[in-house]
Amino acid sequence: MDPDLTLADFTAAVDRPDADIPLARAALLIAAAEQSGLDVDKQLARLDDLAESSDPNRHGSDELRRLHRLREFLFEEQGFAGDHGDYFDPRNSYLNQVLDRRLGIPITLSLVLIEAGRRIGLQMEGVGLPGHFITGARVGGDHVLLDPFNRGELLTREGCGDVVRRALGRPVRLQEEHFAPVSNRQFLIRMLANLKGIYWRQEAWDKVVRVIDRTLALNPAAAGERRDRGAAWSNMGRLERGVADLERYLTEFPNADDHEQVRGQLRRVRQKLAQLN
């Protein structure tokens, strides 16, 4: 797929009430921006197959048994696991690549577990702990917590505190809101933030721009994204576009903490542009 076409498809997928956003399809459309010809429907069918294969005789079984069977199937039999060796490999952020390689980061492995679980009638949700993403399942009035990055390990709330402490290098007192379900929009924004960080470190500015385009489709008011896209355009040599984004940021947020810094950046980009004309 052409990147511009995938942006239009992605925007169409997310331009609706949050509960109606097709999470897996939208995640695959993020991947399609960098993988020409990706067949999104074929990838969705792979999730259907995983769910069906996890427990073909599930009908009538209780939810807790289905959840544990799914956990066993994905993480023991299918071998899904966290990529501890190369966490920032961008393939870990693309759902189709996670399905191919059986490796991922917390949020994409959670996505596999959530989507497979929902397909077998389980109430699954993402839980965005500070520094680490996990999965929640509502079973018989209980909130079961699992860590897909660590092969679906079952977590207590106290155990979640240990996970967060290891992730951040410091203790955090977890509150009830930390265990709230992540919306579909928040889920996708968090996935895109991971990719943006990876590509920014690689100075892959064209990919940074495509990631930010999709973040802005989800949240047009994300001012910092427009500022960062202006920087990325400028770094690519697309100075006119860089100026436009930086000017809009400064106009819409005149009291931003980094106003003077961005104004200096804009001045330098304008000087470069003047030298070319």
Side-chain angles (χ1 to χ4, degrees), residues 11-25:
T11 301
V14 303
D15 186 18
R16 62 188 73 193
D18 190 87
D20 296 333
I21 293 175
L23 185 58
R25 178 175 292 277

Side-chain angles (χ1 to χ4, degrees), residues 1 22 27 36 39 61 67 71 85 94-95 104 109 112 118 130 153 166 180 182 193 201 210 227 239 259 272:
M1 281 186 176
S36 178
D39 188 331
S61 64
L67 177 63
R71 174 175 163 264
Y94 293 129
L95 178 55
L109 292 167
V112 172
R118 287 175 176 171
E153 176 187 3
R166 289 194 299 270
V182 170
R201 285 188 292 272
R210 286 194 284 274
R227 175 201 60 211
L239 302 181
H259 185 90
K272 288 182 182 178

Side-chain angles (χ1 to χ4, degrees), residues 4-277:
D4 291 335
L5 293 177
T6 67
L7 178 58
D9 290 342
F10 180 81
T11 301
V14 303
D15 186 18
R16 62 188 73 193
D18 190 87
D20 296 333
I21 293 175
L23 185 58
R25 178 175 292 277
L28 288 163
L29 287 169
I30 291 172
E34 301 302 333
Q35 299 171 63
S36 178
L38 180 66
D39 188 331
V40 170
D41 289 329
K42 182 177 179 181
Q43 300 300 319
L44 289 171
R46 296 176 72 186
L47 289 169
D48 296 339
D49 291 342
L50 278 175
E52 177 62 29
S53 300
S54 71
D55 195 359
N57 300 314
R58 66 184 179 277
H59 304 290
S61 64
D62 68 88
E63 291 180 342
L64 188 60
R65 194 194 72 79
R66 267 181 279 158
L67 177 63
H68 284 303
R69 174 62 194 134
L70 177 62
R71 174 175 163 264
E72 177 185 58
F73 175 74
L74 290 178
F75 300 107
E76 295 181 22
E77 296 175 20
Q78 292 296 307
F80 283 94
D83 190 348
H84 294 269
D86 193 1
Y87 188 94
F88 295 107
D89 185 331
R91 292 178 296 177
N92 291 329
S93 290
Y94 293 129
L95 178 55
N96 65 303
Q97 298 275 5
V98 174
L99 293 173
D100 287 345
R101 302 169 66 234
R102 299 297 199 257
L103 287 174
I105 54 176
I107 195 166
T108 48
L109 292 167
S110 289
L111 181 56
V112 172
L113 178 57
I114 288 166
E115 288 292 325
R118 287 175 176 171
R119 282 163 168 75
I120 58 173
L122 296 173
Q123 187 178 345
M124 310 288 291
E125 60 198 29
V127 177
L129 296 177
H132 195 77
F133 205 93
I134 63 171
T135 303
R138 306 281 176 173
V139 180
D142 292 326
H143 195 198
V144 181
L145 300 168
L146 307 97
D147 183 2
F149 191 68
N150 290 297
R151 295 191 175 274
E153 176 187 3
L154 291 169
L155 295 170
T156 62
R157 292 206 170 193
E158 293 75 18
C160 288
D162 293 336
V163 168
V164 169
R165 179 180 51 77
R166 289 194 299 270
L168 298 180
R170 57 181 173 81
V172 174
R173 185 182 295 275
L174 296 178
Q175 307 294 335
E176 188 62 32
E177 59 264 24
H178 289 123
F179 297 95
V182 170
S183 71
N184 288 327
R185 201 171 300 277
Q186 291 168 332
F187 202 118
L188 294 165
I189 287 172
R190 193 154 168 167
M191 287 182 66
L192 287 162
N194 288 332
L195 277 169
K196 177 185 170 186
I198 291 167
Y199 288 137
W200 196 283
R201 285 188 292 272
Q202 294 178 356
E203 299 185 2
W205 304 118
D206 57 334
K207 296 180 180 182
V208 169
V209 166
R210 286 194 284 274
V211 168
I212 293 177
D213 285 344
R214 283 149 183 80
T215 303
L216 287 169
L218 288 159
N219 181 14
E225 298 299 326
R226 204 170 297 282
R227 175 201 60 211
D228 291 348
R229 189 175 65 181
W233 280 126
S234 302
N235 289 330
M236 288 171 65
R238 304 289 294 276
L239 302 181
E240 299 92 341
R241 292 195 172 193
V243 166
D245 271 338
L246 294 173
E247 284 181 339
R248 182 168 176 180
Y249 174 76
L250 291 172
T251 300
E252 294 183 357
F253 299 91
N255 299 317
D257 291 340
D258 61 354
H259 185 90
E260 288 304 314
Q261 177 184 343
V262 175
R263 192 165 71 172
Q265 183 179 10
L266 175 58
R267 188 183 310 114
R268 290 189 295 274
V269 176
R270 282 175 171 162
Q271 288 170 349
K272 288 182 182 178
L273 187 58
Q275 292 167 3
L276 296 175
N277 293 331

